[in-house]
Amino acid sequence: MTWGAYGSQVNGPGPRRRSPALPQHFPGWACARMMEGPRCVSGDLVTSGGVMGISLGTRIAGLCLAGTVAVVVASCVADGSGAPRGDRDVSVAGGSSNGGPDGTPREAAEPSAAAPSPPSWRPDGSGGPVGVPRADSPVPVPPPASTAVAPLTPRPAPPAEDHGARPLAVPAWLPPGPVSPDTDAVPDPRSLYDRLRAPATGCGDVLRSVPLVAPTADWRLLRGLANACLAVQGRGGSWETAARDHAELAGRLDGCKNDAAYDVLTGLLEFHRLRPGATVRLGAAPDGAPACDYGIASVDAGPDGAARPGDLISIELRGTYFDHAELLRDGGVFVGGVSVPGPLASLPADGRDHLRLTVTVPAVSAAPGTPVDVRVRYGGTEPAREGAFVLAAPEPPTPPVSVSVSASP
């Protein structure tokens, strides 16, 4: 007769008997049949009695139950979660299902494409996957890495867009002369320059005053400038004539007013070259520095710089802006405050805007050795030269020569 687990009779003839009740509070008990008779052994209880037979199925069930309990306990101790680890295949019959020895599980071969599972423990011993912070622990913040940044080179700002036509720059016009007195009211190049300074009306007047055949370079310059003045304002004129006169006069002009007029003509021709069809309205130049710096350049009274009444001295004028003939006829010279009787005479000068006068020193009521001033008056202007020379003593009178006549016998 064989007894099953918990004292139930499973086979054998005879009256049915129940074995003594076995304790059910301890796990993992097993019964083994021995030679002398059945002897049930547990961790702390030994029972003996009659012959008890344990079937093979009962023993297998016990082993399975013990193995299951061992696997659960080992999993709980390993990760503290009570759940079996999923990275190994474990056999409940002892040993791993991949052929490892009992009690020593072996890693199962993983596909090469599958990413490895992160460890389920942390350095501090707590459970959970690495990289997931605990709720009660601060999240460490790594310090910012210092990266050297190269200084940026500022790029030039793009040019502003031009949304409209820009106004044309009006060419410069004639500076003041000064104005020639023009005492004879006869047109001459220096007085016509002054008329051109009013471009609204003066350009046409000057062009009509120029002879058909210009006799000198001064007149050809005025003709070319008057033509350009009218042409740039769209009022007639001739760019061809202006360009021809400009080319012929290069390097041939002399005088302060001529130099200023030639520079203005050059600017008008350049404006026309850059903008062939453009026209502008010219305006009078503001009063500023004059084209001519008029004054007495020097007074020559001899090697010693002294002169007495009756001696000749020369006076050189610079920057003359008027007709020289007018000054010689209508001008005056004063030496030591005394007027020199006219008419005045001139000598060849160094340039076209220079004039050399020669005068006789009048009787001056001053002691010898006194510095004497010289002034030239014409058309409301009176340039002066202070201490131009020193008054010399007059020559002593020559004693009379006596002539004796002897009679012949």
Side-chain angles (χ1 to χ4, degrees):
M1 179 179 59
T2 302
W3 295 87
Y6 301 99
S8 59
Q9 183 178 355
V10 295
N11 59 3
R16 302 182 61 174
R17 294 182 303 170
R18 294 187 61 87
S19 64
L22 298 178
Q24 302 180 17
H25 65 275
F26 58 91
W29 62 273
C31 293
R33 173 177 293 181
M34 302 186 65
M35 296 296 296
E36 291 85 2
R39 186 179 180 89
C40 296
V41 183
S42 67
D44 55 358
L45 177 63
V46 177
T47 59
S48 62
V51 177
M52 291 188 298
I54 305 300
S55 66
L56 178 60
T58 302
R59 283 182 287 176
I60 292 175
L63 290 175
C64 291
L65 177 61
T68 301
V69 173
V71 170
V72 173
V73 172
S75 176
C76 293
V77 172
D79 56 13
S81 60
R85 294 177 60 179
D87 57 349
R88 297 178 181 177
D89 296 331
V90 182
S91 172
V92 297
S96 58
S97 62
N98 56 6
D102 290 349
T104 308
R106 186 171 59 189
E107 295 289 342
E110 298 181 358
S112 59
S117 301
S120 59
W121 50 269
R122 298 192 184 98
D124 60 356
S126 59
V130 175
V132 180
R134 297 174 57 180
D136 57 348
S137 62
V139 178
V141 179
S146 60
T147 304
V149 180
L152 297 178
T153 302
R155 291 184 296 180
E161 296 182 2
D162 188 2
H163 297 286
R166 297 178 180 176
L168 295 177
V170 180
W173 195 235
L174 296 172
V179 177
S180 171
D182 194 20
T183 56
D184 59 2
V186 176
D188 61 82
R190 290 176 175 83
S191 61
L192 291 179
Y193 174 98
D194 301 326
R195 289 195 200 177
L196 279 175
R197 293 201 64 237
T201 58
C203 296
D205 294 343
V206 170
L207 189 58
R208 288 187 292 267
S209 301
V210 175
L212 294 178
V213 179
T216 62
D218 296 354
W219 287 101
R220 289 198 295 272
L221 174 61
L222 292 173
R223 180 180 62 191
L225 185 55
N227 274 283
C229 173
L230 294 173
V232 78
Q233 298 183 88
R235 298 166 48 203
S238 170
W239 284 115
E240 181 180 357
T241 302
R244 183 177 64 251
D245 289 339
H246 180 270
E248 292 178 355
L249 296 174
R252 299 177 54 190
L253 293 170
D254 187 17
C256 48
K257 281 189 173 180
N258 287 344
D259 292 341
Y262 191 81
D263 289 343
V264 170
L265 178 57
T266 302
L268 292 177
L269 292 172
E270 180 67 11
F271 177 87
H272 177 65
R273 184 185 69 83
L274 297 175
R275 306 167 183 83
T279 59
V280 294
R281 177 173 296 181
L282 298 176
D287 292 336
C292 301
D293 182 20
Y294 177 59
I296 298 177
S298 64
V299 175
D300 185 8
D304 55 357
R308 60 179 53 93
D311 292 346
L312 288 177
I313 61 173
S314 67
I315 305 168
E316 183 175 0
L317 301 176
R318 69 170 186 274
T320 54
Y321 55 92
F322 43 76
D323 187 358
H324 292 172
E326 296 175 5
L327 183 142
L328 296 174
R329 183 182 63 246
D330 302 323
V333 176
F334 297 82
V335 176
V338 179
S339 176
V340 176
L344 302 176
S346 66
L347 296 173
D350 295 335
R352 192 169 184 82
D353 57 353
H354 283 242
L355 177 64
R356 189 184 296 273
L357 305 174
T358 58
V359 298
T360 301
V361 177
V364 178
S365 59
T370 303
V372 178
D373 301 337
V374 174
R375 299 176 182 273
V376 177
R377 184 179 298 171
Y378 172 65
T381 63
E382 190 174 295
R385 183 82 172 188
E386 305 290 339
F389 65 95
V390 176
L391 187 64
E395 292 181 356
T398 303
V401 178
S402 62
V403 178
S404 60
V405 179
S406 61
S408 61

